[in-house]
Amino acid sequence: MYKMKTLSIIIPIYNTSKEYFSKCLTSLICDQSYEIEVIVVDDGSLEKYSIEIEKEIKDSPLDIQYSKKENGGQNSAREYGLL
C-alpha cells in the first residue's frame, strides 16, 4: 500500500549547474527525509545540464520524481509539477 508523503517540494530548474542543484538537495536531507517527496521539473534545459542533473538525482537518497518539459517559465514548471 502506498503511503502519502507529509511534504511535497516542487523544484523548477532551467540550466541549473550541478553545484547549485546538489546544494539544494543536500539542504533537504534530514531525519524525516522519508516523509519528503521532491518533484524536479526541468523546464527545457540544454542537454549538458540535464545529464548532470539526472546523475545527481540517481545519487541522492531522497524520493525524487523527475520530469522534463518544453521551456515555459518557472510558473509553468511549478504548475506542471502539481500534475
Side-chain angles (χ1 to χ4, degrees):
M1 178 179 226
Y2 177 75
K3 183 180 178 205
M4 290 190 66
K5 302 289 183 168
T6 304
L7 178 66
S8 295
I9 300 170
I10 299 172
I11 304 173
I13 58 172
Y14 175 75
N15 291 346
T16 303
S17 73
K18 180 181 174 184
E19 175 188 359
Y20 290 124
F21 187 69
S22 179
K23 286 181 182 181
C24 176
L25 292 183
T26 301
S27 72
L28 299 174
I29 297 173
C30 63
D31 290 339
Q32 279 78 32
S33 291
Y34 62 91
E35 290 288 333
I36 299 172
E37 168 189 40
V38 180
I39 302 165
V40 177
V41 181
D42 187 335
D43 193 34
S45 295
L46 299 175
E47 194 62 33
K48 71 176 185 172
Y49 292 101
S50 296
I51 291 170
E52 289 180 355
I53 296 301
E54 288 175 19
K55 184 180 182 315
E56 195 68 28
I57 288 171
K58 288 178 186 173
D59 294 341
S60 176
L62 296 167
D63 177 15
I64 301 175
Q65 297 175 22
Y66 175 79
S67 299
K68 187 167 183 167
K69 62 179 260 345
E70 282 188 30
N71 186 276
Q74 280 188 355
N75 196 45
S76 169
R78 287 186 196 107
E79 289 177 6
Y80 189 88
L82 290 172
L83 301 176

